[in-house]
């Protein structure tokens, strides 16, 4: 009966037919750590022991390395926020309005900084923001005790962090290394399989939505790798190898899409020799270890085939074939390096001829991820509105619990600010917080009066918190689990000496709910955007960066460009899960492809055999204008501008068909690629001038 009721509340997947051992282990570990923290807090006589218990559940993660890194970031953020409160409160205590604005400004600044770093490190900045408000607003009635309050919060949170870290590290830990290597293996395996399918079948297989996962996977590797230094595994993979592998895998999706496009453009006009070469490449991709040809030999054959393409062949078909061979060679080179790097990550020795791409020279700065300063600024505005609104009511009415409302508003407005539309999540959080209050009331006024001693307390708390911990381990139910757990812990307000005051219980929790509602209203007013709107913002950012790239005098860093653009693609896909994924995601992928081609063009202008080569005429300016037009929201150029841009590309194609071999190798494939992406349905260009 209990199982049926819980299934009705939480959904069928929360309680599957068999107990998930990993979720159960996380729940048990969290409860053990929470009881250890609350027991030690009682023995040490800390002011608010429940903060230690609350910290345990906020720190809990499925992977031990993630728990340890989150613990470090939480401790650093807590210390920084406590120091900020100690510095600001004594100076501004006589001016409550100014102090509220200053503390809110600090929280807003920390939130903005945290939103610029989408890795787990951002947690430290977020904690620094709302810890300052917690300490400062709790000290208004007794500002001379602000240091004591700050010290107490740091002690309680540090105790919870230590207990969570020790328990999750010692009791059957799940290491990050294993999860990361499994994810990398799956991505590498899929990349090789997709490449083999395309090259062996000689036909495009566009529409395979499973490929879009690769973009998100690469960013997922970046996030997981931030936990490696805190991991419990005995041996950890080389971080430089993981980053190098990310760079190589990032090329697979745009290169594979370009090859499919050339296959579609050539159709039945491909020569048997070209099909044979593609089959050889596909056989290698299907099984690099058992292949009779090495990657080095295949790259040599690609170069020889490209150099031997018959001049008598139709010029446009020859350029399409040459572009496809260039993209195929780049793809094989990237996959070969990926294969070697994967072996290095697993601790194996590379016995084949290693490519230069897999050597440790790739040690570099960490991957740059997409940042949206506009949405970050709106999140700051929403936080300001929520906290200052609560603060104004608090100051105007002298409501004793008004500071609690301001504290909760700060936490709520910051906690889910990375979502496209945090408002529904905040409303759900509020509802489940309300659901925790009757449970807390039953414990406070019925169960706790009958309890004597800590063992009975732990036994009484076990049923709800083991269920909450199990739900928290399920990604589908982590929100409601946190709302229930944190709401219940806060409402119970466990102390060394039991005291149950209904008026205090009602006022404190009413203030918490008002803070949640204030955050919801502020977020709904200033920060809510739909997933589709967020996807279009991401695509627009890509076009703007392309326009900047086209107009730049010097080429940008290739790894940085690919990292940002592929990260955006990975962000676009889940936001379009219920809409036209292929069309919208295709635009984002097109921007990534054209960026790579523009980088090749820019590099060819700056350096050919160490000499500055001929310029690209007015093509970069026309491309920059076109990309800004796309960024404005239009999917097609005006007919006159489209004709002018197409003509500019064709002029460059005709001109460079007569250039020396070095320029042809770098520019022609890039020009062909730009033409195919921008004008896939345009008729083949004429090369009469070349024939003359």
């Amino acid at each position: 009966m209990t199982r049926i009721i819980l299934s009705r509340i939480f959904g069928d997947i929360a309680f599957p037919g068999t107990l998930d051992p990993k979720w159960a282990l996380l729940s048990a570990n969290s409860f053990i750590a929470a009881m250890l923290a609350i027991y030690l807090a009682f023995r040490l006589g800390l002011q608010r022991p429940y903060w230690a218990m609350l910290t345990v559940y906020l720190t809990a993660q499925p992977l031990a390395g993630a728990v340890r890194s989150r613990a470090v970031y939480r401790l650093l953020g807590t210390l920084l926020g406590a120091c900020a409160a100690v510095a600001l409160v004594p100076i501004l205590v006589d001016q409550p309005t100014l102090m509220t604005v200053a503390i809110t400004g600090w929280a807003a600044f920390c939130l903005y900084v945290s939103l610029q770093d989408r890795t787990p490190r951002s947690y430290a900045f977020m904690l620094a923001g709302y810890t300052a408000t917690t300490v400062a607003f709790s000290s208004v009635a007794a500002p001379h005790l602000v240091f004591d309050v700050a010290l107490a919060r740091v002690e309680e949170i540090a105790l919870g962090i230590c207990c969570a870290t020790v328990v999750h590290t010692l009791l059957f830990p799940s290491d990050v290394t294993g999860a990361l290597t499994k994810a990398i293996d799956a991505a590498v395996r899929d990349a090789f399989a997709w490449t083999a399918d395309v090259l062996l079948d000689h036909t495009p297989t566009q529409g395979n939505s499973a490929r879009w996962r690769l973009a998100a996977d690469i960013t997922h590797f970046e996030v997981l790798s931030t936990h490696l230094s805190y991991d419990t595994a005995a041996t950890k993979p080389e971080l430089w190898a993981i980053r190098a592998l990310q760079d190589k895998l990032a090329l697979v999706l745009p290169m594979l899409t370009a090859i499919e496009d050339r296959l579609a453009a050539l159709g039945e006009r491909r020569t048997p020799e070209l099909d044979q070469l593609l089959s050889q490449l596909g056989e290698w991709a299907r099984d690099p270890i058992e292949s009779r040809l090495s990657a080095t030999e295949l790259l040599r054959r690609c170069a020889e085939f490209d150099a031997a393409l018959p001049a008598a062949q139709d010029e446009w078909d020859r350029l399409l074939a040459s572009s496809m061979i260039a993209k195929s060679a780049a793809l094989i080179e990237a996959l070969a390096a990926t294969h070697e790097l994967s072996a290095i990550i697993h601790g194996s020795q590379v016995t084949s001829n290693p490519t230069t791409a897999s050597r440790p020279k790739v040690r570099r700065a960490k991957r740059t991820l997409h940042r949206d300063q506009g949405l970050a600024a709106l999140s700051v505005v929403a936080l300001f509105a929520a906290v200052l609104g609560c603060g104004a009511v608090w100051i105007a009415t002298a409501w004793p619990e008004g500071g609690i409302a301001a504290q909760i508003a700060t936490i709520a407005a910051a906690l889910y600010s990375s979502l496209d539309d945090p408002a529904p999540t905040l409303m759900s959080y509020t509802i489940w917080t309300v659901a925790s209050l009757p449970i807390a009331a039953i414990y406070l006024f019925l169960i706790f009066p009958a309890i004597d001693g800590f063992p009975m307390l732990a036994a009484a708390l076990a049923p709800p918190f083991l269920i909450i911990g199990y739900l928290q381990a399920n990604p589908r139910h982590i929100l409601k689990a946190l709302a229930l757990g944190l709401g219940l812990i806060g409402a119970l307000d466990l102390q060394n000496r039991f005291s149950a005051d209904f008026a205090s219980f009602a006022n404190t929790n009413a203030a918490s709910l008002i803070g949640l509602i204030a955050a919801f209203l502020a977020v709904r007013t200033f920060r809510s955007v739909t997933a589709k709107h967020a996807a279009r913002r991401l695509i627009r950012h890509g076009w703007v960066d392309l326009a900047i790239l086209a107009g730049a005098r010097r080429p940008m860093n290739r790894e940085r460009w690919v990292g940002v653009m592929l990260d955006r693609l990975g962000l676009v896909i889940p936001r379009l899960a219920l809409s036209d994924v292929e069309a919208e995601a295709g635009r984002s992928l097109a921007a990534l492809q054209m960026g790579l081609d523009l980088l090749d063009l820019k590099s060819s202008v700056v350096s050919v055999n160490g000499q500055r080569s001929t310029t690209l005429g007015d093509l970069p300016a026309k491309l920059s204008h076109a990309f800004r037009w796309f960024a404005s929201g239009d999917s097609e150029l005006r007919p006159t501008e489209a004709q002018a841009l197409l003509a500019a590309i064709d002029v460059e194609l005709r001109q460079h068909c007569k250039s020396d071999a070095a320029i042809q190798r770098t520019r022609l494939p890039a020009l062909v690629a730009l033409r195919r992406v921008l004008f896939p349905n345009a008729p083949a260009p004429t090369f009469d001038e070349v024939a003359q």
Side-chain angles (χ1 to χ4, degrees), residues 599-666:
L599 286 168
D600 290 338
L601 282 178
K602 294 282 185 179
S603 299
S604 72
V605 171
V606 172
S607 176
V608 175
N609 298 327
Q611 302 291 327
R612 186 173 182 86
S613 68
T614 57
T615 64
L616 293 168
D618 61 351
L619 178 59
K622 284 184 167 59
L623 286 171
S624 181
H625 177 75
F627 297 146
R628 293 192 183 280
W629 177 262
F630 293 145
S632 67
D634 292 281
S635 58
E636 294 184 2
L637 293 171
R638 296 191 185 97
T640 54
E641 294 176 349
Q643 291 174 4
L645 179 56
L646 179 60
I649 295 175
D650 289 347
V651 167
E652 292 294 326
L653 280 171
R654 285 192 290 268
Q655 176 182 342
H656 294 302
C657 280
K658 300 179 289 185
S659 302
D660 59 61
I663 294 180
Q664 286 192 35
R665 280 195 302 272
T666 54

Side-chain angles (χ1 to χ4, degrees), residues 666-687:
T666 54
R667 290 198 183 179
L668 287 179
L671 289 168
V672 171
L674 284 171
R675 193 183 196 276
R676 285 294 304 166
V677 174
L678 287 168
F679 306 102
N681 300 318
T686 58
F687 293 88

Side-chain angles (χ1 to χ4, degrees), residues 564-610:
V564 173
M565 293 299 288
L566 202 70
D567 178 46
R568 286 190 185 128
L569 181 61
L571 294 173
V572 165
I573 302 308
R575 287 166 170 81
L576 298 173
L578 301 178
S579 58
D580 191 355
V581 175
E582 295 294 335
E584 295 289 349
R587 286 172 59 80
S588 189
L589 180 58
L592 171 58
Q593 288 177 282
M594 287 188 286
L596 293 171
D597 297 322
L598 271 173
L599 286 168
D600 290 338
L601 282 178
K602 294 282 185 179
S603 299
S604 72
V605 171
V606 172
S607 176
V608 175
N609 298 327

Side-chain angles (χ1 to χ4, degrees), residues 2-3 76 79 113 144 160 175 183 231 242 325 362 410 460 501 512 517 530 667 686:
T2 302
R3 178 187 177 84
L76 291 175
L79 288 170
V113 173
H144 61 286
D175 59 78
D231 200 22
I242 293 174
I325 293 301
V362 296
T410 307
D501 181 358
S512 298
I517 293 171
T530 64
R667 290 198 183 179
T686 58

Side-chain angles (χ1 to χ4, degrees), residues 213-405:
R213 292 198 312 266
L214 184 61
D217 286 345
I218 292 172
T219 297
H220 181 56
F221 301 159
E222 179 72 21
V223 173
L224 279 180
S225 65
T226 61
H227 300 302
L228 277 179
S229 57
Y230 304 94
D231 200 22
T232 56
T235 58
K236 303 169 189 175
E238 295 279 359
L239 195 56
W240 70 264
I242 293 174
R243 292 177 184 158
L245 183 137
Q246 286 176 274
D247 288 339
K248 298 306 174 183
L249 277 180
L251 297 174
V252 171
L253 193 56
M255 293 296 179
L256 203 55
T257 305
I259 293 169
E260 288 180 320
D261 174 79
R262 308 306 180 269
L263 286 169
L266 283 171
E268 299 300 324
R269 301 193 304 277
R270 296 191 312 274
T271 63
E273 293 79 10
L274 177 57
D275 282 348
Q276 182 181 6
L277 178 60
L278 293 177
S279 296
Q280 292 173 347
L281 299 177
E283 289 172 1
W284 177 88
R286 185 167 56 187
D287 193 345
I289 297 176
E290 299 297 329
S291 175
R292 59 187 179 84
L293 296 175
S294 67
T296 303
E297 174 63 20
L298 289 173
L299 293 176
R300 184 185 64 79
R301 292 192 180 192
C302 287
E304 291 176 351
F305 185 90
D306 187 43
L309 281 173
Q313 186 180 8
D314 178 87
E315 187 65 23
W316 179 236
D317 284 355
R318 187 184 73 82
L319 290 176
L320 288 173
S322 178
S323 174
M324 181 163 59
I325 293 301
K327 298 293 184 183
S328 299
L331 177 59
I332 294 301
E333 186 176 12
L335 289 176
T338 297
H339 183 69
E340 296 162 8
L341 289 163
S342 180
I344 293 172
I345 289 170
H346 282 280
S348 303
Q349 294 294 324
V350 179
T351 56
S352 59
N353 295 328
T355 63
T356 56
S358 69
R359 294 175 184 171
K361 74 173 187 175
V362 296
R363 298 177 189 269
R364 56 168 177 77
K366 295 179 180 179
R367 178 175 296 276
T368 302
L369 301 180
H370 167 75
R371 299 172 180 174
D372 194 328
Q373 284 86 359
L375 285 183
L378 291 176
S379 297
V380 167
V381 172
L383 183 143
F384 250 107
V387 180
L388 293 184
C390 290
V393 173
W394 177 26
I395 294 171
T397 62
W399 180 26
E401 283 79 16
I404 296 176

Side-chain angles (χ1 to χ4, degrees), residues 408-481:
I408 298 299
T410 307
I411 296 172
L415 205 56
Y416 300 106
S417 55
S418 60
L419 301 178
D420 295 330
D421 186 2
T425 301
L426 283 174
M427 180 52 66
S428 177
Y429 192 97
T430 303
I431 292 171
W432 287 101
T433 300
V434 171
S436 72
L437 299 183
I439 303 173
I442 292 172
Y443 270 90
L444 280 172
F445 303 110
L446 295 179
I447 298 176
F448 283 176
I451 287 178
D452 182 18
F454 185 80
M456 290 183 66
L457 174 66
L461 292 175
F465 281 101
L466 286 174
I467 293 173
I468 289 170
Y470 188 82
L471 290 171
Q472 186 180 359
N474 185 342
R476 294 286 298 273
H477 297 288
I478 188 172
L479 170 65
K480 60 188 69 171

